[in-house]
Amino acid sequence: MYKTIKIEKGLYNLSGKTFSQALEAMDPSENYTDEALRKMDAFERQLKRFDIKVNGVNADKVDKFFQSTESAALFPEFVRRAVEAGLNSGCVNKITAAVSVSDGVDARGIVLSDGDDEYAGSAVYGGELPKSSITLTSSAIALKKFGRVVNAPYEAVRQQRIDVFAVALRAVGAKLAKAVEKAAVTALTSGVTPASMSGGTFNYAELASFWGSFDKAEMNTIVCSPATAAKILAFDEMNKAVLPAAGCGTVTPFGAEIVASPAVDDKTLIGLDRNSALEMIRGGDVIVEVDKLISKQSDAAAVAVNVGFSAIDSDAVKVLAIAK
């Protein structure tokens, strides 16, 4: 079936469907008994159909996408996926508890509040139970656009290997991820009063004390600047018990993963329970300028993503002011 469906740029403009979803609707993966074809998604099957090799030692050149009008229509989705891969390579996923999708330019998040009630202890028989309230945010959260214009004239990239071109596109996505990280950090720290250290020097004892200050949540993540992360890694206690972690960070002896981000200044350390602290709201997939990417006359095309953040549980985030 995948060899006969009609590919056209109009598939990018269907209401409520992405290009990949439109392809999948026309060419469902579940219809295949061949294991290799079933493991591919509909877009990957189209790459196979037009014999476009996007990685490996035999990767084709970018010009291979433009062997026909149908194969050219696959190029914007290839660009989107490469940029998306770079975007997801950042540390934002390490500090968000959930990802939501909104069709609008803004959205309402939820807020968990326990008031002054404590979870410790039992309720008196016949008495009222402590209350937790889940409400909407007091105002809508605007989704901000993070994007870049990619200057890549067709004549300059047509003879480049597709996998090498994808490396550059992933780097563009990684730069977008850094900008998104900054928005996430702002949402985490907004309205949070920083705690002060007990002494004048930032050391392991201060870090452990900060971890111990979490009484209604678990501090399983530390977000700090690369310089502060370097200080923590230099603590003698870390040298004795440092554990490698998959992804962006290193795990402390008490189980909190260190996420180094340039979005945090050198005088601030953020502790959070990543399971309940922050919601990321996305306005859909990465957006690419389809017409410009399909046209071989284009010198530049924009890629962008709309993202907003909403703090969920105030008990899951604390900030420590570092003296020096």
Side-chain angles (χ1 to χ4, degrees):
M1 178 184 289
Y2 72 96
K3 295 182 178 181
T4 59
I5 65 175
K6 180 67 175 176
I7 308 298
E8 54 187 0
K9 70 178 182 179
L11 295 176
Y12 287 97
N13 300 319
L14 297 181
S15 178
K17 284 185 179 180
T18 64
F19 181 79
S20 288
Q21 289 170 340
L23 285 182
E24 192 67 32
M26 294 189 294
D27 179 33
S29 298
E30 61 191 25
N31 289 348
Y32 290 90
T33 56
D34 182 275
E35 189 67 19
L37 292 175
R38 179 185 285 270
K39 287 182 177 180
M40 298 178 186
D41 64 18
F43 174 73
E44 291 168 333
R45 286 191 290 273
Q46 290 307 307
L47 294 178
K48 177 179 176 63
R49 170 189 177 182
F50 292 102
D51 192 31
I52 301 173
K53 302 178 183 66
V54 298
N55 50 46
V57 294
N58 295 317
D60 289 311
K61 295 179 179 179
V62 171
D63 197 36
K64 189 67 175 288
F65 275 102
F66 298 91
Q67 59 188 306
S68 71
T69 55
E70 284 191 279
S71 60
L74 299 174
F75 189 54
E77 175 62 11
F78 165 77
V79 171
R80 187 203 68 77
R81 290 188 178 208
V83 174
E84 183 81 46
L87 183 64
N88 291 333
S89 68
C91 292
V92 173
N93 292 335
K94 291 284 185 180
I95 59 178
T96 51
V99 179
S100 304
V101 178
S102 172
D103 294 329
V105 296
D106 55 25
R108 297 284 290 272
I110 61 171
V111 178
L112 171 65
S113 176
D114 295 320
D116 295 327
D117 293 329
E118 296 289 341
Y119 281 93
S122 58
V124 177
Y125 184 77
E128 292 187 3
L129 294 172
K131 294 181 177 63
S132 292
S133 299
I134 299 177
T135 57
L136 292 175
T137 52
S138 58
S139 59
I141 298 162
L143 303 189
K144 297 181 180 179
K145 178 175 286 189
F146 300 88
R148 299 182 75 89
V149 174
V150 181
N151 291 310
Y154 173 70
E155 290 303 322
V157 301
R158 61 185 295 268
Q159 291 301 314
Q160 297 299 315
R161 282 169 51 110
I162 294 174
D163 55 346
V164 176
F165 186 52
V167 170
L169 293 173
R170 288 195 295 272
V172 170
K175 289 179 172 63
L176 289 180
K178 291 300 181 184
V180 173
E181 274 181 41
K182 187 173 182 179
V185 167
T186 298
L188 278 172
T189 57
S190 180
V192 179
T193 301
S196 300
M197 298 192 311
S198 58
T201 302
F202 180 55
N203 52 32
Y204 186 79
E206 293 285 359
L207 181 63
S209 178
F210 181 56
W211 170 76
S213 69
F214 277 71
D215 53 352
K216 294 183 179 179
E218 174 191 7
M219 194 185 89
N220 49 38
T221 306
I222 297 168
V223 189
C224 59
S225 71
T228 301
K231 287 182 180 180
I232 295 173
L233 293 176
F235 293 158
D236 288 341
E237 294 82 357
M238 292 292 295
N239 291 334
K240 296 174 183 176
V242 68
L243 300 172
C248 301
T250 301
V251 176
T252 64
F254 45 81
E257 182 177 353
I258 302 170
V259 175
S261 171
V264 185
D265 63 61
D266 293 341
K267 296 183 178 180
T268 301
L269 186 142
I270 305 168
L272 69 137
D273 185 338
R274 62 170 170 260
N275 297 316
S276 60
L278 191 67
E279 175 190 10
M280 178 165 64
I281 305 169
R282 287 191 54 167
D285 288 336
V286 169
I287 304 166
V288 299
E289 291 186 309
V290 174
D291 289 335
K292 287 187 175 182
L293 289 173
I294 290 177
S295 171
K296 292 189 286 187
Q297 305 303 315
S298 173
D299 287 339
V303 295
V305 61
N306 296 324
V307 181
F309 291 94
S310 176
I312 300 173
D313 184 3
S314 60
D315 290 327
V317 183
K318 292 188 178 184
V319 176
L320 178 67
I322 301 173
K324 61 180 179 179

